[in-house]
Amino acid sequence: MRRAPTQQRSRDRVENILKAACELISASGSDTMKMGELAEKAGVSIGSLYQYFPDKASIIHALAERYNEESQHCIDEALAEVTTQSDLIAAFDQLIDTYYDLFLAEPVICDIWTGTQADKTLRDMELEVSRANAQSLVRTILRLRDNDGDGATFAARCLLIMYAGEATMRLAISVPASEGREIISSYKRMVGRELSEMLQV
């Protein structure tokens, strides 16, 4: 964002802009969204829009940041409840299913993440989020192992799990649903084996 809103009225205006952007992207994709069209739908002047978002890419990035924050909170919350190895694998399986269903149901998320590889800022953001989520997984593994283990090794393995998860979702939503479900199931089996191995003391 060009300028972070400080007053409630400004925050409401930004929320309204992002909501309108979601509706336009859901209807026809981000490629066809125009700034003028967005300003009109959000009920703001084009000048007001540019005060907060200098271009369309900044809007996509703001939406991506929002979804990333929500996903990190969801992952942290799910892992906080884990007390055993079977709990961890079950929780991770549920997270994978939840995200796949969310990606299928939310055209905006699909639009953002299918275009990630073409946008360096989004690629960097994805890596940063994968690292943060990997650290949550590492902390859970070490907690279950009573802090017995090589955190650096686990960090690399968990980063692979999280980053591969993003790639798996992009692939799964780009193929027919039946094939997508098989891809998701295969990923869950691979992750289950990796988690079981890291949890062996």
Side-chain angles (χ1 to χ4, degrees):
M1 289 181 64
R2 173 171 281 163
R3 189 182 80 182
T6 55
Q7 297 182 347
Q8 185 61 48
R9 196 170 87 174
S10 297
R11 289 196 292 270
D12 290 344
R13 184 176 296 141
V14 168
E15 283 297 317
N16 196 42
I17 291 169
L18 292 177
K19 179 183 176 184
C22 286
E23 291 172 2
L24 290 172
I25 292 170
S26 295
S28 55
S30 60
D31 289 343
T32 63
M33 184 176 70
K34 303 289 188 292
M35 294 295 275
E37 178 187 25
L38 175 57
E40 182 179 353
K41 187 168 186 62
V44 300
S45 69
I46 192 72
S48 292
L49 176 59
Y50 281 121
Q51 276 187 331
Y52 299 105
F53 300 102
D55 52 30
K56 185 166 65 175
S58 65
I59 293 168
I60 301 300
H61 295 164
L63 290 171
E65 285 178 353
R66 174 166 297 186
Y67 289 124
N68 284 335
E69 288 172 4
E70 291 174 359
S71 73
Q72 285 179 265
H73 175 73
C74 184
I75 289 170
D76 288 343
E77 195 173 61
L79 295 182
E81 303 297 321
V82 166
T83 58
T84 66
Q85 174 178 324
S86 59
D87 283 350
L88 177 57
I89 293 173
F92 209 88
D93 280 358
Q94 183 58 56
L95 282 168
I96 294 166
D97 286 336
T98 298
Y99 277 102
Y100 180 55
D101 290 339
L102 183 62
F103 271 62
L104 289 177
E106 291 287 346
V108 176
I109 300 177
C110 292
D111 190 281
I112 290 169
W113 293 121
T114 51
T116 296
Q117 298 309 302
D119 186 317
K120 185 179 185 306
T121 303
L122 287 179
R123 288 200 310 272
D124 292 345
M125 189 187 301
E126 180 181 59
L127 179 56
E128 182 182 342
V129 170
S130 292
R131 284 192 187 282
N133 290 334
Q135 284 303 313
S136 293
L137 186 54
V138 170
R139 286 192 295 270
T140 304
I141 290 169
L142 287 174
R143 174 164 55 82
L144 294 178
R145 292 175 56 101
D146 293 323
N147 290 316
D148 174 24
D150 182 355
T153 299
F154 291 158
R157 295 170 75 173
C158 290
L159 176 58
L160 177 59
I161 287 171
M162 292 300 185
Y163 198 79
E166 299 286 356
T168 299
M169 290 298 167
R170 277 195 295 274
L171 176 59
I173 63 175
S174 67
V175 299
S178 59
E179 189 177 11
R181 289 286 178 194
E182 285 299 324
I183 289 168
I184 294 298
S185 294
S186 293
Y187 174 70
K188 289 198 291 188
R189 287 193 295 271
M190 288 188 287
V191 170
R193 289 193 294 270
E194 187 72 1
L195 291 175
S196 295
E197 187 175 306
M198 283 190 282
L199 287 167
Q200 290 176 5
V201 180

